[in-house]
Amino acid sequence: MHSYSRLVAALPRTVLLIGCMVLLTAWKLGPPVTFFDEEGGIARAVETLRAKVGFERIVSIAAGETSVSIEAQEPFNNLRVGRWTLRKESIELFGWEFHWEELNGPEPVEFNLVDPDAEARLFDIKEVDFTAADGLMKEALARAALEDQATVESIEIRRQHFRLPAALSGSIRWSVAVRSGRESATIFADAKGGVAGMDLTHTNKGRAFDLLASLDRLPEAARDFAEVVGTGPVLAEARITSRGVGFKTKLEEKTPDFGFVERDQRQTFDWGINGLTRSTGTSGFFARKPPFAVTETDWSLAPSLVRKARDALNMPDAAVDNIEIAKPEGQPGTPRLEWKVALAEKGEKGVARFDAKGELIWVTLPESRRKPFDGRDPAVWPALLSQIEASFGGESILVELVIHDEHISIAVDDPQNPKEPSQFLLDENGIRQFGTASLFEMPNPRFSVSDLKALDEAQMRKLQEVTAQRLRLSVANITTIVIGRSSLDPSSQGNVTVEIRAEEAPFQRSGRVNWEIDGREIKAYLP
């Protein structure tokens, strides 16, 4: 009697259990198995969707632990895109856990046209090796190397999209997102599953990465650039910051696979915690900069240059703000590669410039310690003359020197264009080109620095003193000093002359005297 009663009581549950087993076409007992845990799970899910739906042209594939979704052209209407999802479901009945898979779709997808031709965003499902998923997930976890226990969070497969310099699409790319409790990373791979890059920005390694604190890694950045881009003269600038190296090139921006050229953009590469990566193209401004090759300097010089910069600037405790490597525009003669090391301390900056071999060229002191540039000061004249000789050589190519309070204007036959005199400025930042010299200066006789040997510090001071006496000014403020062979009152012997102008005050009594370098007066214009 009791056995019969228990049998009757169990009938409803038994019927329900048998019904569930019949209705669920692919049910399983036991603990759930995710698509990521199942061997070949991603490949099987994609093939299941493809077999039941029949699509071939894909927009994207997104996979999580319990679902795989595919956005694709609808098989019978190529003008529409739908989303089909294979999802793992589960239910617990009478202490038993049942698992099955459901296929849903199509859901309509709003297909935003990134490209004028929507076909450019699609790819053939046969182009992707889905059997690579298992190995790629293992490699992604290994490459990410997160400090805590990590898992694969999601997988996405689609064409890359380039919104700049133009809205175009590129090669097919896997993106495998890896996450732990405190870190995340993304590993990128090509269509066949070969790792092509990674984003470790949000890992502990990425957060702690500081290239300025580990400048010994710079040769690694240079080597990676040379391997990927080449060793030709394609660089316009390399800028080193705490986050890495920004390589700005003179190469026209070309979107991968399409060969599209945007002439106002130039290719840019970044090197940092993620290795060498392509970044958004930069302005065509960099196309005007003199090019250089990554092999033109020794990138291991950086730590020693920082030490030299601290010594030269007397900033022993200063932090490195940034470092630039480039051939500055407007240099006299053949453009020379320079390192520019910028240091920061107590809210001020100082800059030291070095040549490609690491020799000091110029320093710009912090503003609080910077003595105003004054080319008229006899004490600094020998150093300025040496700078002119170092920049233009000893040949007779100088047309005229005009010395002002804040700079010296140099009219000279440009070594890069000897047929056309150029104008250069020498100031606290060094020498740089500043336009073209006046047409009236083109026929003037030239001279060299060697013609000025007798014009040393003592003679420059003496000429200024006798000018003040000759003009009989109560206060003689030297305004300009003009040195050349083209004075209105030339030397009878064809020598270089020194014309000194002075005034008591702006727009007050003034005059000028033209001298031979040895101190003989040629002509005086009294107030």
Side-chain angles (χ1 to χ4, degrees):
M1 181 66 179
H2 292 292
S3 299
Y4 178 76
S5 298
R6 287 197 298 269
L7 178 61
V8 171
L11 276 175
R13 290 182 295 177
T14 305
V15 171
L16 180 59
L17 179 59
I18 295 172
C20 288
M21 294 169 63
V22 171
L23 292 174
L24 301 180
T25 57
W27 60 270
K28 293 181 180 179
L29 292 172
V33 178
T34 69
F35 286 116
F36 295 159
D37 294 332
E38 176 189 344
E39 184 177 353
I42 300 298
R44 182 188 62 78
V46 171
E47 184 55 35
T48 298
L49 287 165
R50 180 188 182 194
K52 292 189 176 182
V53 179
F55 44 66
E56 293 293 337
R57 300 288 289 162
I58 308 299
V59 176
S60 68
I61 300 172
E65 289 187 334
T66 60
S67 67
V68 176
S69 296
I70 297 181
E71 293 182 1
Q73 280 182 331
E74 294 189 6
F76 303 107
N77 188 346
N78 288 342
L79 298 179
R80 294 196 308 189
V81 172
R83 181 187 300 111
W84 290 265
T85 302
L86 185 65
R87 189 180 306 278
K88 288 182 177 288
E89 303 287 0
S90 63
I91 191 172
E92 185 177 341
L93 293 172
F94 318 120
W96 295 83
E97 198 170 358
F98 296 87
H99 312 283
W100 70 99
E101 293 177 353
E102 284 186 358
L103 191 154
N104 298 309
E107 300 174 58
V109 174
E110 184 178 347
F111 192 41
N112 295 319
L113 294 178
V114 176
D115 302 304
D117 180 6
E119 276 288 321
R121 292 187 60 190
L122 302 175
F123 60 90
D124 195 315
I125 196 169
K126 295 178 182 178
E127 295 182 66
V128 180
D129 181 7
F130 295 103
T131 63
D134 292 353
L136 179 57
M137 286 189 286
K138 292 179 181 177
E139 188 168 3
L141 290 168
R143 293 283 188 110
L146 305 188
E147 294 179 5
D148 297 330
Q149 183 66 35
T151 59
V152 174
E153 182 180 46
S154 65
I155 295 175
E156 184 180 53
I157 306 171
R158 63 166 64 239
R159 285 196 185 278
Q160 298 181 72
H161 298 313
F162 301 92
R163 296 182 181 275
L164 290 173
L168 294 173
S169 295
S171 57
I172 302 168
R173 184 172 74 172
W174 292 67
S175 299
V176 182
V178 175
R179 179 176 292 277
S180 70
R182 297 177 297 173
E183 301 176 88
S184 63
T186 304
I187 308 301
F188 305 108
D190 59 28
K192 303 303 180 184
V195 172
M198 52 190 176
D199 181 359
L200 303 179
T201 305
H202 301 293
T203 65
N204 290 338
K205 293 192 297 289
R207 297 182 188 110
F209 181 81
D210 184 351
L211 184 57
L212 293 177
S214 52
L215 288 171
D216 56 329
R217 295 193 63 186
L218 264 186
E220 184 182 343
R223 184 186 65 246
D224 288 352
F225 181 87
E227 289 177 354
V228 174
V229 185
T231 57
V234 299
L235 275 170
E237 177 187 285
R239 181 177 174 83
I240 302 152
T241 66
S242 61
R243 303 313 300 163
V245 186
F247 293 100
K248 294 178 173 59
T249 78
K250 297 173 69 68
L251 300 170
E252 289 181 322
E253 179 65 78
K254 293 183 179 180
T255 303
D257 300 342
F258 286 82
F260 183 86
V261 177
E262 181 68 40
R263 296 188 182 278
D264 291 335
Q265 298 285 329
R266 292 297 181 269
Q267 292 180 29
T268 298
F269 298 82
D270 291 328
W271 187 93
I273 187 65
N274 301 319
L276 188 72
T277 59
R278 280 286 299 274
S279 59
T280 302
T282 56
S283 166
F285 163 79
F286 289 97
R288 302 195 300 268
K289 287 198 167 189
F292 66 96
V294 71
T295 54
E296 285 188 39
T297 189
D298 181 357
W299 290 69
S300 67
L301 286 172
S304 65
L305 296 185
V306 170
R307 291 192 293 271
K308 288 182 179 180
R310 287 181 174 136
D311 291 341
L313 294 165
N314 193 22
M315 300 173 71
D317 300 320
V320 182
D321 187 71
N322 66 78
I323 299 174
E324 290 185 5
I325 305 174
K327 289 183 176 179
E329 292 182 88
Q331 288 184 330
T334 302
R336 302 181 306 276
L337 189 65
E338 290 186 8
W339 290 73
K340 186 166 72 172
V341 181
L343 302 180
E345 185 178 49
K346 298 179 181 178
E348 290 191 300
K349 288 186 179 181
V351 176
R353 291 163 43 202
F354 303 88
D355 65 19
K357 295 182 178 179
E359 297 299 321
L360 184 65
I361 299 173
W362 195 268
V363 295
T364 303
L365 294 171
E367 189 171 356
S368 64
R369 295 192 286 118
R370 194 179 305 164
K371 184 179 179 181
F373 181 92
D374 190 346
R376 304 165 302 179
D377 183 356
V380 302
W381 169 245
L384 296 176
L385 196 59
S386 295
Q387 179 69 13
I388 293 171
E389 184 174 28
S391 299
F392 298 104
E395 297 181 8
S396 296
I397 60 173
L398 297 174
V399 180
E400 185 177 73
L401 304 179
V402 182
I403 304 173
H404 300 271
D405 55 347
E406 295 183 347
H407 68 268
I408 298 177
S409 175
I410 305 170
V412 62
D413 291 332
D414 186 355
Q416 296 188 67
N417 189 8
K419 296 182 179 180
E420 183 177 337
S422 295
Q423 197 83 6
F424 287 83
L425 292 184
L426 170 57
D427 58 17
E428 62 183 8
N429 295 313
I431 292 180
R432 65 188 184 281
Q433 189 169 8
F434 192 75
T436 304
S438 167
L439 292 175
F440 296 105
E441 294 176 326
M442 294 184 70
N444 293 342
R446 273 48 170 171
F447 64 98
S448 69
V449 171
S450 61
D451 294 320
L452 306 179
K453 285 184 177 180
L455 189 61
D456 55 14
E457 177 184 347
Q459 188 64 11
M460 177 66 85
R461 180 174 285 105
K462 179 181 178 180
L463 290 179
Q464 293 185 37
E465 291 172 350
V466 296
T467 297
Q469 297 169 5
R470 183 72 175 88
L471 296 176
R472 303 187 184 91
L473 299 175
S474 58
V475 178
N477 295 308
I478 305 298
T479 55
T480 58
I481 301 172
V482 181
I483 300 174
R485 279 199 171 107
S486 56
S487 171
L488 293 175
D489 305 297
S491 166
S492 60
Q493 300 173 344
N495 297 328
V496 175
T497 64
V498 182
E499 181 188 89
I500 301 178
R501 297 172 181 252
E503 63 184 11
E504 289 182 339
F507 308 109
Q508 300 296 319
R509 296 178 70 242
S510 64
R512 70 181 190 272
V513 181
N514 198 27
W515 305 91
E516 294 275 6
I517 289 180
D518 62 11
R520 288 175 292 151
E521 180 183 312
I522 298 174
K523 179 77 174 181
Y525 293 84
L526 302 179

